[in-house]
């Protein structure tokens, strides 16, 4: 580690949701550029524990950028300086010797702070619970190739379905809106024939759940798209709005005549 | 071999021809009347593919389900990280696939150490899984004509793997998660987030509840139910460095073992051949590069040991494409255990590449030349991006460097045909059971098994158990719950009270090294004995020199780690013990004393064609091994050959 860097860190410490928090200064030496950002924090924690102090809490699990557990606002940017990258996939080669880095938790009314850099993102689950699915009982599915789905539609659905539910979109939005998260699921399902049956009910219930959970509204800043580790496009938000308008003008009674239970 | 069969292990495999067993069993199983289902409460621990699919399906049937998970959201379970795909015998490729062939490939791939009836059932339900997932809106890859696309995977000569880019696990898990959240909406499933199961409660010999720790405030809680479904994944993280997630752990399964559930074939560990190599001591985990890459990537090393030239300057004739050379018919698509051992063999001889010499090349130059970069990007784009993020190298221009890493554990809690452990009312689903993969799991089969267990097996078999009666009402206020809660509190107090000098991850790293060196890709008697001694010594130090920072009443990651590492010492010892007793090589278990003249695994079917199930006999006593004889009535046991 002869090319180890010295890094100064200012880290948000807050013992619990009710206590006041503050930025605390740390310095860590011999940081290898091969280290991931979270591995650097692991090493820092080891040093903190050795001193008899309380280590920094942060969420992290797969460390492959797919589970959505991690999330730190790094120098004011959710997930840090590299585009299309979750915090766990950020590596120290993107920083240089002597840098000072500021680490803060996701900040949003709907994401109460639990401790240090850990927040409660259950509000995102409540949006899915409200309708982010196709209602199909186990065992009742037709043959998988019974519905042909063009590659273009399947790819569009997959682009939106790639959302990892990390909440960076919320953390970076001036309104703390979950529009990109919600729109990604709506866009995923509405691009597939399986998702069409419930499209009107889905968008109305999910948008309502988003409001209920305390997320703000979207006013087209586009910050969400800029920080999304999966680079989900705000075009999905346009899809969500179109779907929402459509649902408002949808004639439920007429639809009921055509296909009972469908909307 | 009949005398080998332990009386304590009844596999409950139905009689009759293989292809009719499951059908007959479903008919013979008792049903629970729809209006009675709501009287039962089922505890599901873990919300990965097995847990989420079980919770959703059981909720749909009308049972009350309590689902517990250690994360903030059930969608974070490590199934989400599975990349390559899911197998099914649809034969959409018209290349000769069938239920029988998937069954046969899985039995053979597992090196004939899995139960025929379970594997056949797995192959049978594989097709319904794809149907179900597509109906849920899982965006599998498609052809231009709109039909589902397939690709090949290791250990098979047909294209039966369905995939969603390199994120198949994510999409399947989100499908199961969404189905479960629909049941949360109906009120049939109740979620318990950030809860870690720390013990099992049995009453009158049956599993009737669990003890959990609320990870946010440290509260120890008791939850009662009519059955407990353990869906907590594997124990690969025991090795410290593995492709498992940081929070994947063996504690729930290990606690069940200590309450009477036997642990089967603990030494069967899968070392995945294509992972990004270790870069330094700071390494916290390893990242898999999907096996699907071996469809288009060619594995090679320099012919000469110690050749330090960059790959672009090593001419074709000075490269050894050792998999293609050694296994001409399967080439780069040999099963994982074979590919991993071959990589170790060339690196041990000094042909390894990279700074550590512990890596081989996975080269896409030929495929990019043949198909163009755009096609390769479409197939593997996200994997290539991930590789570049981690290593800083562009795999479109220079070959990937890969090395094997611990990935999956075939061993796990012993279960019968109904997925029930040796504790009545305790079921184990997915990776945490031992049942379907024998000594080696084929690629794209873990997702298949997790979902098979959750969607299509447990909904039938649990009904038979519940309808059998004898489940009196129990309450979490009962003495049995209080006793176990006190034990759990005692253990936490003990961990916090040591106040030594080393943190739990520091111990874990050292344990992992002992395991990797002695109970890893190559095992021998002396090494295994060393491992048992070393683990014992380290464990002793652990209980005297552990330092757990912070308080038990708040979020405290290092306290969580401390409990898990304590269990790893015990499980690690059992793994070594199991590996020592199994004097043969099979699948991922390679005993160096037992190999063919060509260096392939040498099974000893006359002596070891059984499942070794270990029974806990007390902290101071040695565990007792029970044998479940494996009867092969439908396939002929052969030396595996992929040449």
């Amino acid at each position: 580690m002869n090319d180890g860097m010295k890094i100064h860190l200012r880290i948000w410490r807050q013992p619990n949701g009710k206590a006041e928090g503050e930025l605390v200064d740390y310095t860590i030496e011999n940081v290898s550029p091969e280290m991931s950002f979270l591995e650097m924090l692991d090493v820092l924690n080891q040093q903190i524990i050795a001193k008899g102090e309380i280590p920094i809490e942060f969420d992290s699990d797969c460390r492959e950028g797919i589970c959505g557990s991690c999330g730190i606002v790094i120098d004011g940017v959710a997930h840090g300086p590299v585009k299309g990258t979750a915090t766990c996939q950020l590596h120290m080669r993107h920083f240089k010797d002597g840098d000072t880095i500021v680490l803060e938790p996701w900040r949003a009314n709907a994401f109460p702070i639990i401790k240090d850099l850990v927040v409660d993102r259950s509000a995102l689950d409540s949006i899915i619970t409200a309708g982010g699915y196709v209602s199909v009982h186990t065992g009742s599915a037709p043959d998988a190739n019974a519905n042909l789905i063009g590659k273009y539609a399947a790819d569009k659905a997959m682009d939106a379905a790639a959302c990892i539910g990390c909440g960076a979109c919320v953390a970076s939005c001036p309104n703390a809106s979950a529009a990109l998260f919600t729109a990604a699921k709506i866009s995923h399902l509405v691009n597939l024939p399986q998702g069409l049956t419930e499209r009107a009910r889905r968008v109305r219930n999910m948008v309502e759940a988003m409001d209920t959970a305390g997320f703000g509204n979207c006013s087209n800043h586009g910050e969400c798209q800029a920080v999304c580790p999966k680079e989900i496009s705000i075009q999905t938000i346009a899809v969500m709005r179109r779907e929402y308008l459509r649902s408002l003008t949808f004639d439920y009674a007429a639809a009921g005549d055509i296909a009972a239970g469908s909307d | 071999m009949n005398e080998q069969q332990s009386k304590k292990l009844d596999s409950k495999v139905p009689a009759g021809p293989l292809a009719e067993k499951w059908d007959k069993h479903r008919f013979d199983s008792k049903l629970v009347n729809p209006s009675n289902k709501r009287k039962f409460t089922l505890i599901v621990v873990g919300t990965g593919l097995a847990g989420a699919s079980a919770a959703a399906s059981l909720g749909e049937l009308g049972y009350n389900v309590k689902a517990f998970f250690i994360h903030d959201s059930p969608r974070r379970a490590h199934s989400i990280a599975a990349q390559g795909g899911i197998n099914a015998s649809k034969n959409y490729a018209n290349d000769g696939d069938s239920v029988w062939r998937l069954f046969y490939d899985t039995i053979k791939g597992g090196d004939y150490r899995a139960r025929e009836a379970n594997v056949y059932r797995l192959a049978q339900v594989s097709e319904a899984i794809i149907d179900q997932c597509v109906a849920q809106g899982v965006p599998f890859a498609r052809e231009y004509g709109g039909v589902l696309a397939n690709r090949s995977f290791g250990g098979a000569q047909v294209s039966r793997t369905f995939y969603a880019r390199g994120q198949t696990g994510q999409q399947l898990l989100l499908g199961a998660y969404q189905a479960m959240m629909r049941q949360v909406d109906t009120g049939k499933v109740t979620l318990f987030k950030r809860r870690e199961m720390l013990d099992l409660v049995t009453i009158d010999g049956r599993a009737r509840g669990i003890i959990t720790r609320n990870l946010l405030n440290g509260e120890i809680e008791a939850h009662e139910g009519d059955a407990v479904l353990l869906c907590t994944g594997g124990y690969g993280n025991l090795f410290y460095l593995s492709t498992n997630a940081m929070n994947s752990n063996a504690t729930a399964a290990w606690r069940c073992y200590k309450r009477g559930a036997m642990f089967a074939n603990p030494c069967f560990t899968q070392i995945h051949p294509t992972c990004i190599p270790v870069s330094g001591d700071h390494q916290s985990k390893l990242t898999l590069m999907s096996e699907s890459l071996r469809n288009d990537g060619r594995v090679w090393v320099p012919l000469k040991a110690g050749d330090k030239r960059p790959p672009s300057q090593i001419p074709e004739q000075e490269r050894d494409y050792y998999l293609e050379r050694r296994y001409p018919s399967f080439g780069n698509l040999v099963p994982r255990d074979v590919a991993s051992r071959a990589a170790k063999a060339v690196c041990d001889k000094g042909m390894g590449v990279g700074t550590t010499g512990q890596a081989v090349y996975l080269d896409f130059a030929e495929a990019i030349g043949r198909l163009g970069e755009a096609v390769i990007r479409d197939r593997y784009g996200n994997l290539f991006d991930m590789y570049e993020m981690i290593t800083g190298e562009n795999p479109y221009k220079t070959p990937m460097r890969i090395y094997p890493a611990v990935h999956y554990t075939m061993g796990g809690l012993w279960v019968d045909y109904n997925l029930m452990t040796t504790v009545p009312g305790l079921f184990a689903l997915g990776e945490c059971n031992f049942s379907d993969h024998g000594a080696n799991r084929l690629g794209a089969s873990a997702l298949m098994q997790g979902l098979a267990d959750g969607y299509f097996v447990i909904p039938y078999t649990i009904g038979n158990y519940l309808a059998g009666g004898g489940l009196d009402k129990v309450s979490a206020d009962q003495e049995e719950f209080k006793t176990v809660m006190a034990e759990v509190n005692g253990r936490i107090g003990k961990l916090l009270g040591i106040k030594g000098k080393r943190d739990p991850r520091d111990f874990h790293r050292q344990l992992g090294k002992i395991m990797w060196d002695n109970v890893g890709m190559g095992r021998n008697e002396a090494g295994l004995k060393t491992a048992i001694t070393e683990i014992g010594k380290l464990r002793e130090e652990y209980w005297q020199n552990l330092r757990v920072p912070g308080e038990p009443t708040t979020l405290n990651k290092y306290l969580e780690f401390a409990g898990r590492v304590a269990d790893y010492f015990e499980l690690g010892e059992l793994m070594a013990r199991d590996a020592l007793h199994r004097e043969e090589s099979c699948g991922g278990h390679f005993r160096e004393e037992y190999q063919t003249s060509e260096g392939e695994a040498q099974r000893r079917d006359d002596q070891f064609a059984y499942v070794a199930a270990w029974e806990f006999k007390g902290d101071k006593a040695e565990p007792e091994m029970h044998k479940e004889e494996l009867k092969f009535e439908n396939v002929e046991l052969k030396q595996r050959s992929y040449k």
Side-chain angles (χ1 to χ4, degrees), chain B residues 571-641:
Chain B
L571 175 52
E573 190 193 312
L574 188 70
M575 287 170 71
R577 194 183 287 275
D578 184 46
L580 185 62
H581 113 277
R582 191 170 278 279
E583 294 181 329
E584 65 162 349
S585 295
C586 57
H589 171 65
F590 191 71
R591 277 289 297 267
E592 287 158 359
E593 301 94 323
Y594 305 97
Q595 51 182 307
T596 65
S597 54
E598 290 162 313
E600 304 294 342
Q602 180 73 61
R603 281 198 333 268
R604 297 171 72 197
D605 294 328
D606 55 333
Q607 294 192 54
F608 291 97
Y610 61 77
V611 175
W614 298 84
E615 183 185 11
F616 180 68
K617 301 298 261 186
D619 279 318
K620 301 266 183 277
E622 294 206 348
E624 185 184 343
M625 201 242 306
H626 300 268
K627 295 176 181 176
E628 180 199 338
E629 187 198 342
L630 290 168
K631 298 189 197 92
F632 293 93
E633 293 164 348
N634 299 278
V635 298
E636 187 193 339
L637 274 71
K638 283 196 271 199
Q639 191 66 41
R640 265 191 328 164
S641 171

Side-chain angles (χ1 to χ4, degrees), chain B residues 305-325:
Chain B
D307 189 339
K308 290 286 167 209
R309 288 177 291 174
S312 58
Q313 287 173 28
I314 301 178
E316 275 301 310
Q317 66 275 15
E318 291 177 42
R319 299 176 176 191
D320 181 11
Y321 294 90
Y322 58 88
L323 289 178
E324 296 170 25
R325 172 174 57 78

Side-chain angles (χ1 to χ4, degrees), chain B residues 94-117:
Chain B
N94 195 32
D95 56 359
D97 204 4
S98 62
V99 169
W100 192 275
R101 190 176 294 281
L102 176 53
F103 154 73
Y104 177 79
D105 285 350
T106 308
I107 284 279
K108 176 188 171 193
D111 220 353
Y112 307 94
R113 291 294 174 264
R115 205 186 272 151
E116 276 190 347

Side-chain angles (χ1 to χ4, degrees), chain A residues 71-192:
Chain A
I72 300 175
V73 174
I74 300 167
D75 286 340
V77 180
H79 288 308
V82 181
K83 218 173 143 41
T85 303
T87 304
C88 66
Q89 294 288 80
L90 178 64
H91 279 65
M92 292 311 292
R93 70 175 70 89
H94 300 290
F95 297 90
K96 59 182 192 301
D97 189 36
D99 274 357
T100 298
I101 311 172
V102 182
L103 283 70
E104 294 172 274
W106 283 177
R107 294 192 191 277
N109 277 343
F111 291 166
I113 290 183
I114 292 168
K115 188 176 177 183
D116 297 339
L117 303 170
V118 179
V119 300
D120 181 358
R121 288 167 291 191
S122 315
L124 296 180
D125 285 325
S126 71
I127 297 174
I128 299 297
T129 305
Y133 42 73
V134 175
S135 299
V136 50
H137 268 54
T138 302
S140 59
D143 183 84
N145 264 343
N147 277 303
L148 297 181
I149 302 173
K151 190 173 185 312
Y152 178 75
D155 283 350
K156 288 280 276 189
M158 181 63 213
D159 288 343
C163 168
I164 59 173
C166 64
C169 46
V170 178
S172 64
C173 174
N175 308 331
S177 169
L180 190 66
F181 171 83
T182 311
K185 188 46 64 190
I186 286 165
S187 195
H188 158 208
L189 293 174
V190 85
N191 267 297
L192 299 171

Side-chain angles (χ1 to χ4, degrees), chain B residues 43-52 54-55 229-233 427-432:
Chain B
I43 290 173
V44 176
V45 188
T47 55
L49 286 174
L229 280 62
L230 210 64
C231 311
T232 51
F427 295 79
L429 285 66
E431 189 180 351
C432 84

Side-chain angles (χ1 to χ4, degrees), chain A residues 39 49-50 57 59 61-64 67 93 115 122 125 138-139 143-145 149 159 161 165 185 188, chain B residues 57 60 71 73 76 90 92 131-132 137 146 165 177-178 193-194 246-247 284-285 389-390 547 555:
Chain A
E39 283 168 350
I49 295 169
E57 291 289 345
D59 262 331
D61 201 30
C62 76
R63 298 205 175 180
E64 297 180 14
C67 75
R93 70 175 70 89
K115 188 176 177 183
S122 315
D125 285 325
T138 302
D143 183 84
N145 264 343
I149 302 173
D159 288 343
K185 188 46 64 190
H188 158 208
Chain B
S57 305
E60 288 167 8
H71 301 95
S73 164
R76 313 235 189 265
K90 283 282 195 187
Y92 284 160
D131 297 342
Q132 185 64 31
R165 293 192 189 145
Y177 154 78
Q178 288 163 199
K193 68 179 174 188
R194 293 202 195 252
M246 302 304 288
N247 293 301
S284 59
K285 71 155 299 202
M389 268 181 212
I390 293 173
R547 172 179 289 187
L555 187 62

Side-chain angles (χ1 to χ4, degrees), chain B residues 120-225:
Chain B
Y120 193 85
R121 175 177 65 189
L122 177 67
Q124 278 177 306
V125 303
S126 69
E127 300 182 28
I129 295 170
I130 302 302
D131 297 342
Q132 185 64 31
C133 295
V134 167
Q136 289 168 347
V138 169
F140 283 119
R142 302 221 166 225
E143 304 291 352
Y144 280 102
V147 296
L148 289 154
N150 289 111
R151 64 183 170 202
S152 311
F153 247 65
Q157 288 174 314
V158 292
S159 268
R160 63 160 73 100
T161 304
F162 296 79
Y163 62 100
R165 293 192 189 145
Q167 291 137 271
T168 317
Q170 180 201 24
Q171 294 309 315
L172 295 177
L173 181 61
L174 292 181
Y177 154 78
Q178 288 163 199
M180 180 175 72
M181 296 314 260
R182 184 165 79 94
Q183 294 309 308
V184 170
D185 199 32
T186 67
K188 293 311 292 182
V189 174
T190 310
L191 300 182
F192 293 83
K193 68 179 174 188
R194 293 202 195 252
R195 298 303 207 287
E196 178 160 14
M197 172 179 163
L198 292 180
D199 221 324
L200 176 76
V201 180
T202 58
I203 297 175
D204 299 331
R206 293 169 182 250
R208 295 308 303 267
I210 61 171
I211 305 298
T212 59
R213 178 168 180 270
N214 181 332
L215 302 180
L216 296 179
N217 58 22
E219 219 162 284
I220 303 300
E221 308 158 328
H223 304 274
E224 77 276 13

